[in-house]
Amino acid sequence: MEGHHHRIGMLEIAEIYFNTSSENLKQLIEDFFNSMDEDHDKKVSLSEFLNNMKEEGLVKAENPPEMFKALDVNHDGSLDFKEVMALYYVIKSGRPFCGGCGKFIPGMFFSCSICFDNEDDKFCVCPKCFSNENKSYTHKHMPGHFLDNFALLEAKRKMAMDTRKPPPSPEEPKKKSTWLLRLLESAIGAAAVAGAEVAAVSGAAAAADLAAEGDSCSIM
């Protein structure tokens, strides 16, 4: 509708990737579809979907029927080629399942920045569970360490830029708070985290501690 921002869904994202990919990748996706279409009727039924999820371990799905429903955008009870193409995108892009409600997250999500860098499995939650109004999950790290997927991408980009900068001279004082904590100040709207200990952000995030005083951080 004119005047409204168009929301791009998984199917459209997958189609964009497909149309701009190499012929070899397009063939891989077609082979993927054909392997799921067991009766060769050019569509994937729920039973075929469940068989493949179980036998191939394609995704870490706690609720495969819920995922099937999310992929079936035309609600005809089966997955056509474009919808299976979206599934391929989901698998390859590592789209998460919510650590709270266990449902597949088709849109924006929040990730624990500490787990993202240092744990075997990242911890992500959907926006509803992140508010934790229904106490759907518990986690070892505080909510202040969570970033939405857009802010997390910007954080990783900024951190990579900071690690390429030369270290400050001995005369130049270092700011006590890490860059990631300062980003959290901006992204989440925390009033003051400057007194937080550097040890709160471990692993790769600790490299951002080299950022000089006066460095700005904004995700706007």
Side-chain angles (χ1 to χ4, degrees), residues 51-157:
N51 287 341
N52 281 271
M53 295 301 99
K54 181 179 179 180
E55 294 177 7
E56 303 297 334
L58 295 173
V59 292
K60 186 179 179 181
E62 295 184 31
N63 193 341
E66 188 73 25
M67 184 177 184
F68 182 89
K69 183 178 179 180
L71 291 166
D72 183 18
V73 295
N74 60 4
H75 309 296
D76 66 350
S78 63
L79 304 182
D80 59 25
F81 179 76
K82 288 186 177 180
E83 291 165 339
V84 172
M85 187 168 61
L87 172 63
Y88 189 88
Y89 161 73
V90 167
I91 295 168
K92 295 302 180 181
S93 64
R95 295 296 290 241
F97 287 79
C98 179
C101 63
K103 294 182 179 180
F104 172 68
I105 309 175
M108 189 269 285
F109 53 90
F110 291 85
S111 298
C112 174
S113 59
I114 298 178
C115 291
F116 188 88
D117 278 328
N118 302 295
E119 303 290 336
D120 293 334
D121 190 21
K122 59 188 178 183
F123 185 84
C124 303
V125 288
C126 66
K128 183 176 181 180
C129 285
F130 182 63
S131 66
N132 213 18
E133 294 176 358
N134 57 357
K135 305 298 179 184
S136 61
Y137 75 96
T138 56
H139 188 60
K140 57 187 174 181
H141 300 127
M142 298 297 291
H145 294 298
F146 280 73
L147 289 172
D148 68 75
N149 47 316
F150 302 106
L152 184 61
L153 179 63
E154 177 64 10
K156 299 296 289 184
R157 184 190 72 84

Side-chain angles (χ1 to χ4, degrees), residues 17 26 42 71 93 129 184-185 187:
Y17 276 119
K26 289 179 179 178
K42 302 301 179 183
L71 291 166
S93 64
C129 285
L184 289 170
E185 247 181 359

